């Protein structure tokens, strides 16, 4: 089972069983291993991850709170499947939150932080693994946003990322060059203390993701 392979990647397990199961299933959903509409069988997941049903049920509840799973009475848990309207609304919300995070973080973006963000861009150059590309993309943005010192805001942004990135992740390879170019423009604007330009670059970058999602035919 693919879940077992993902679980092996996440070893050693250093967190509570519930949180570890949550991370494994969440990763599988974000990667598209567990697509929208797929039922989640407690017995199969418990056997694959060598845990009891209890942490699996608790993980389902956490996933439901993040909008990745829906639990139906007498039917069990099912991976959510977003409509195009859902994705458009999520992206609109992401744009508002991420622009707000950048604005809050902007006064605290030191050269060291910007150097760290730029190094992530270079790490992604030539990378071919889609999951690594997206992990680096997320790491780049959060390297900037974390300076907002607002953990609630960061958690909301990360949750919204998870909901739409499972649909757009397959396109990261073809879009990598354009994405890196946008990221460098954002770094340059931050280095030049130009908040207006930084806001415009980030907005355009996120609007391009929204447009891509609107054009998907199979999701």
């Amino acid at each position: 089972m693919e879940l077992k392979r993902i679980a092996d990647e996440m070893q050693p397990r250093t967190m509570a069983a519930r949180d570890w199961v949550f991370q494994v299933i969440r990763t599988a959903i974000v990667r598209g291993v567990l697509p929208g509409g797929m039922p989640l069988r407690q017995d199969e997941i418990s056997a694959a991850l060598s845990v009891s049903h209890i942490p699996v049920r608790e993980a389902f509840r956490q996933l439901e709170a993040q909008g990745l799973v829906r639990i139906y009475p007498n039917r069990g848990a099912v991976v959510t499947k977003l409509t195009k309207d859902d994705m458009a609304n999520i992206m609109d919300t992401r744009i508002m939150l991420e622009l707000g995070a950048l604005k809050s973080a902007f006064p605290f973006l030191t050269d060291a932080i910007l150097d760290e963000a730029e190094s992530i861009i270079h790490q992604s150059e030539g990378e071919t693994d889609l999951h690594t590309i997206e992990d680096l993309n997320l790491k780049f943005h959060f390297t900037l946003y974390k300076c907002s010192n607002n953990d609630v805001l960061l958690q909301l942004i990360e949750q919204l990322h998870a909901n739409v990135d499972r649909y757009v992740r397959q396109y990261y390879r073809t879009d990598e060059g354009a994405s890196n170019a946008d990221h460098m423009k954002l770094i340059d604007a931050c280095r030049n203390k130009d908040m207006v330009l930084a806001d415009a670059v980030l907005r355009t970058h996120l609007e391009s993701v929204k447009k891509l999602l609107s054009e998907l035919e199979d999701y």
Side-chain angles (χ1 to χ4, degrees):
M1 190 177 185
E2 191 72 10
L3 279 182
K4 179 65 167 61
R5 187 183 65 78
I6 293 174
D8 289 341
E9 287 181 20
M10 299 178 65
Q11 297 290 354
R13 196 176 91 189
T14 58
M15 59 188 77
R18 174 197 62 193
D19 297 327
W20 180 73
V21 173
F22 163 77
Q23 290 294 343
V24 172
I25 300 174
R26 185 181 185 281
T27 299
I29 293 173
V30 171
R31 289 184 180 182
V33 173
L34 300 175
M38 174 176 282
L40 299 178
R41 310 296 186 193
Q42 283 191 40
D43 289 345
E44 293 178 5
I45 294 173
S46 296
L49 302 183
S50 300
V51 296
S52 71
H53 286 188
I54 294 174
V56 175
R57 285 197 298 269
E58 292 174 341
F60 285 173
R61 295 191 190 100
Q62 288 180 279
L63 292 161
E64 185 176 43
Q66 291 208 348
L68 295 171
V69 162
R70 184 164 296 161
I71 300 174
Y72 296 93
N74 304 317
R75 182 181 165 192
V78 178
V79 179
T80 55
K81 185 173 183 178
L82 302 181
T83 66
K84 288 191 177 183
D85 285 343
D86 291 334
M87 289 190 279
N89 289 335
I90 288 172
M91 284 307 305
D92 286 341
T93 306
R94 265 187 60 184
I95 290 168
M96 289 187 286
L97 293 180
E98 294 193 40
L99 291 177
L102 180 63
K103 183 177 181 180
S104 296
F106 200 80
F108 309 104
L109 295 177
T110 63
D111 286 339
I113 292 293
L114 295 175
D115 288 345
E116 180 184 351
E118 187 170 344
S119 73
I120 296 169
I121 298 173
H122 297 315
Q123 288 177 50
S124 69
E125 293 172 350
E127 179 60 60
T128 58
D129 182 79
L130 298 181
H131 307 313
T132 301
I133 291 171
E134 167 53 10
D135 289 344
L136 290 171
N137 174 69
L138 197 61
K139 185 178 180 182
F140 168 83
H141 285 278
F142 275 79
T143 297
L144 303 180
Y145 302 158
K146 68 183 180 183
C147 295
S148 67
N149 295 314
N150 187 330
D151 289 340
V152 174
L153 176 60
L154 298 182
Q155 288 170 9
L156 287 172
I157 293 172
E158 199 273 340
Q159 177 180 328
L160 295 175
H161 262 278
N163 272 276
V164 296
D165 285 347
R166 52 184 163 142
Y167 295 96
V168 77
R169 181 173 286 241
Q170 61 185 307
Y171 293 91
Y172 273 108
R173 181 179 290 120
T174 57
D175 191 51
E176 180 190 3
S179 182
N180 281 342
D182 287 347
H183 289 170
M184 281 304 307
K185 289 177 185 176
L186 182 56
I187 291 293
D188 290 342
C190 292
R191 289 193 190 279
N192 292 325
K193 309 298 181 184
D194 190 337
M195 179 63 217
V196 174
L197 179 58
D199 181 277
V201 170
L202 181 58
R203 181 184 295 275
T204 300
H205 178 66
L206 294 173
E207 288 284 1
S208 69
V209 177
K210 179 183 175 181
K211 182 175 184 294
L212 177 60
L213 287 167
S214 73
E215 294 172 348
L216 294 181
E217 295 182 0
D218 183 15
Y219 59 93

